[in-house]
Amino acid sequence: MAVFSGSIYSDALKMDTTLHAVLTGDLRTERGCKPMLPGLKGKTLILLHGLSRNGAAWLYYVPLFRFAEQYGLRVILPDGHRSFYQDMTYGERYFTYIFEELPQLAHDLFGADISPENLMIAGLSMGGYGALRCAFTAPTHYAYAGAFSAPTQLRSFVEDDDEAHRHFFAQERTAWFGTGYPIPEQSDLFALAERCGGTFSPLFLACGRQDSLYPAGKSLYGHLEELGATPVWFEQDGGHDWLFWETALRHFLDFCAESEKNKTLVQ
């Protein structure tokens, strides 16, 4: 296994930005050391962070090295800062970076397989929203998509005028969407899902039962079922925290590996 942590230049952002990557396929694999769960070997997972962290958080709060080695994954960890993965009204083009530029950079820099059958995307909280937005924007681009504790009802989330919420997002809401923060259709997950026309990447949604975002997550899950999708829903007791996100990530990877196994059996 190899680990990269450094800076790259992003044309979409017009600046250097931090990038981390966990890469399998080193000499130990070549000498016959196979992943314990080979169903995802060779696949690339873009893993997005939440609002108050950065890409490196995934390296420190969950056993990501072990997960990558067990499942045979290459994991790409970009920084989205506090952008909500938007092409911001007053700021940088983070959605363009994540959706268009990052996969190609992962291929060019690390030899990552970004073909639709091998590219996966997932994230927690803000990153869960970002993963779903990518998957709904182009469902045929991703083999699997996962969202853990995602704020799926973006309009309600942004327009929440609770004092603590308003203080936390005092500057960001206008930076994301402009004065009055009008939510464009291409940023609304419910509207994007309707535009998919019944075509969806295999989806995994998860939220802790004590998380304030639980009702919004269940609402999107029900909406997707109404549109003909068959998302997997995972829940257990838990809040908006890393204990739940580690469990959710493991269940997401198990779901993906089992789906790959079933594809092989059908063939």
Side-chain angles (χ1 to χ4, degrees):
M1 178 179 297
V3 180
F4 168 86
S5 294
S7 294
I8 60 165
Y9 178 76
S10 163
D11 188 59
L13 303 178
K14 304 301 181 188
M15 66 179 185
D16 288 346
T17 183
T18 303
L19 184 68
H20 305 275
V22 180
L23 310 170
T24 54
D26 59 15
L27 289 176
R28 284 169 294 183
T29 301
E30 292 175 9
R31 291 170 181 163
C33 180
K34 297 180 180 179
M36 294 172 61
L37 300 167
L40 304 180
K41 185 175 181 180
K43 284 184 166 44
T44 300
L45 171 62
I46 294 175
L47 197 52
L48 304 180
H49 66 82
L51 186 71
S52 61
R53 300 289 180 181
N54 59 22
W58 282 108
L59 299 173
Y60 303 128
Y61 287 94
V62 304
L64 189 62
F65 299 140
R66 177 162 55 84
F67 285 173
E69 194 165 59
Q70 285 181 336
Y71 293 89
L73 289 167
R74 293 174 181 244
V75 186
I76 309 300
L77 306 166
D79 273 0
H81 300 283
R82 293 175 66 85
S83 68
F84 233 90
Y85 301 104
Q86 301 296 315
D87 283 353
M88 303 166 70
T89 300
Y90 304 112
E92 286 70 41
R93 298 189 303 153
Y94 276 96
F95 180 72
T96 297
Y97 169 57
I98 296 297
F99 179 66
E100 295 183 8
E101 186 178 18
L102 182 64
Q104 191 61 49
L105 286 172
H107 172 75
D108 294 344
L109 292 172
F110 309 119
D113 189 339
I114 59 171
S115 58
E117 63 269 21
N118 286 315
L119 181 61
M120 305 160 58
I121 191 165
L124 66 85
S125 194
M126 178 184 82
Y129 162 85
L132 290 177
R133 184 179 170 190
C134 288
F136 293 167
T137 299
T140 59
H141 280 26
Y142 302 95
Y144 301 98
F148 322 137
S149 309
T152 57
Q153 293 178 324
L154 187 59
R155 188 174 302 279
S156 297
F157 182 81
V158 170
E159 293 179 350
D160 187 344
D161 272 333
D162 175 84
E163 183 177 356
H165 188 91
R166 186 169 63 249
H167 174 74
F168 193 59
F169 299 107
Q171 302 176 48
E172 282 87 348
R173 296 192 291 184
T174 300
W176 297 335
F177 303 115
T179 303
Y181 10 99
I183 309 298
E185 186 174 290
Q186 64 266 27
S187 296
D188 185 309
L189 295 182
F190 285 76
L192 279 174
E194 291 173 7
R195 287 167 52 182
C196 287
T199 300
F200 295 93
S201 308
L203 299 170
F204 179 95
L205 307 179
C207 198
R209 297 187 187 106
Q210 286 72 46
D211 194 320
S212 62
L213 296 173
Y214 178 88
K218 288 291 293 208
S219 178
L220 179 64
Y221 172 72
H223 187 62
L224 289 169
E225 287 194 314
E226 291 173 359
L227 294 173
T230 55
V232 170
W233 175 264
F234 171 76
E235 66 176 69
Q236 65 177 29
D237 286 342
H240 203 76
D241 56 51
W242 285 99
L243 288 174
F244 178 79
W245 296 326
E246 177 181 337
T247 301
L249 177 59
R250 178 168 51 81
H251 279 270
F252 169 64
L253 296 176
D254 282 343
F255 156 69
C256 298
E258 186 65 24
S259 297
E260 288 295 303
K261 179 181 176 181
N262 291 338
K263 288 180 185 178
T264 302
L265 290 175
V266 170
Q267 293 173 354

